[in-house]
Amino acid sequence: MDSLYNVYYAGELLDGQQLEQVRARLASLFKADDATLDKLFSGTAQLVKRECDKTTALKYQQAMENAGAKPLIKAAKATAPPEPEPEPEPKTAQEPAKAQTAAERIAALAAAPDQGSYDEPESAANASQSAIDNDSDLNLSPEGTEVLKPEERSEQVVADIDTSDLEVDEQSQRLSEEASAPPPAPDTSHLSMGEVGDEIPTLATEQQPTVPDTEGLTLTPEGTDFSDCAAPQAQAPVLDLSGIDLAPQGSDVLEEAHRNKPKPPPPATDHISLQD
């Protein structure tokens, strides 16, 4: 008994792949139109190959993964191996070439060397026709079938907005009233300019002159001594210098590590001469 497998695809991409690129590669691989691609990328598992053997399923998987898509392979059922067919009788006339099946076309595509691009030349494209368009085992829903189940659909909310009190003005209608014209400029024909430095006796002022109150002040007679107003002389602070000793004259103030060291003498150059 041989195990059979079904190959599905639900629009899942391999890591690092872009949707538009994978869609274009599957379109080239299967020669699929936009309606078929929409079903494959709808998010619901679509049957690509029905009840094929393990080798064929792996060839489908390799071809779809080369295009950046992640297929889903599930076991179908086990069947007994087919009985051997009787050998056909030899024919005198030459038989026409047998058309490739979808599995053979996908296998040929998977076994082809990787050229770094999914754009096949015209000859290779003719040799690998689409499994979706030509495979009788492909099971896709009819066009116009709802993709999502009723419980999977989002509820559409229709906003009920009352616009009965709204009106639309004619084109180029102002949205606000036009502003009133500014007042005219004041008449200055009776005014004239005076010369620089002229007094303006008629210029009114509201500020009153400040008159200080000096009734509590007296003047000291001339020659009065103000020495008693001077601040007292500061007293010298009392310092305890009993714990301080002075080093003898000529003593080194800095330790050896902190002294400035003399510069080394310049190198002798009396044995060096310049040649012409």
Side-chain angles (χ1 to χ4, degrees):
M1 302 292 287
D2 295 333
S3 299
L4 297 181
Y5 301 89
N6 291 334
V7 181
Y8 300 88
Y9 185 61
E12 188 173 357
L13 308 180
L14 296 178
D15 293 340
Q17 298 295 328
Q18 301 294 329
L19 175 61
E20 295 299 331
Q21 296 178 359
V22 175
R23 184 183 174 100
R25 293 167 188 166
L26 291 184
S28 176
L29 176 65
F30 292 139
K31 298 296 183 226
D33 54 13
D34 290 340
T36 303
L37 292 174
D38 291 341
K39 295 177 182 178
L40 290 177
F41 288 90
S42 64
T44 303
Q46 302 290 337
L47 182 62
V48 177
K49 180 64 178 176
R50 183 194 302 273
E51 297 181 358
C52 60
D53 56 17
K54 183 177 181 180
T55 302
T56 303
L58 292 178
K59 291 178 180 179
Y60 269 82
Q61 179 182 6
Q62 181 179 1
M64 295 179 69
E65 288 181 349
N66 288 341
K70 185 176 181 181
L72 178 63
I73 301 177
K74 295 184 178 180
K77 61 181 180 179
T79 59
E83 297 181 359
E85 298 180 358
E87 297 183 0
E89 298 180 359
K91 297 182 179 180
T92 57
Q94 185 178 2
E95 294 182 357
K98 183 180 179 181
Q100 288 183 319
T101 64
E104 292 173 345
R105 289 191 292 272
I106 296 299
L109 180 63
D114 188 6
Q115 301 296 329
S117 173
Y118 290 93
D119 296 334
E120 297 181 307
E122 186 65 24
S123 59
N126 295 333
S128 57
Q129 292 296 326
S130 167
I132 290 183
D133 288 343
N134 299 324
D135 190 0
S136 60
D137 293 336
L138 185 64
N139 184 15
L140 293 180
S141 300
E143 184 176 357
T145 303
E146 296 289 347
V147 177
L148 298 179
K149 300 178 181 179
E151 60 273 12
E152 296 175 343
R153 301 172 191 168
S154 59
E155 182 179 358
Q156 184 177 5
V157 179
V158 180
D160 186 10
I161 302 175
D162 183 13
T163 59
S164 59
D165 58 338
L166 300 181
E167 296 180 359
V168 180
D169 289 338
E170 298 294 336
Q171 188 175 2
S172 303
Q173 184 75 16
R174 292 184 58 88
L175 300 180
S176 62
E177 297 181 359
E178 189 173 1
S180 58
D187 182 14
T188 58
S189 59
H190 60 285
L191 300 180
S192 61
M193 299 290 292
E195 298 294 336
V196 177
D198 287 352
E199 294 183 357
I200 308 178
T202 59
L203 184 61
T205 178
E206 297 180 356
Q207 184 178 2
Q208 300 295 332
T210 303
V211 180
D213 183 10
T214 59
E215 293 181 356
L217 301 179
T218 57
L219 295 177
T220 304
E222 186 177 355
T224 303
D225 184 11
F226 292 98
S227 59
D228 57 342
C229 296
Q233 187 176 1
Q235 300 292 331
V238 179
L239 303 175
D240 183 10
L241 304 178
S242 59
I244 298 178
D245 294 333
L246 295 178
Q249 185 175 3
S251 300
D252 293 330
V253 178
L254 297 178
E255 298 178 358
E256 182 68 22
H258 301 291
R259 299 175 190 172
N260 292 331
K261 298 181 180 179
K263 297 181 180 179
T269 58
D270 53 352
H271 63 285
I272 300 175
S273 60
L274 298 177
Q275 296 182 355
D276 294 337

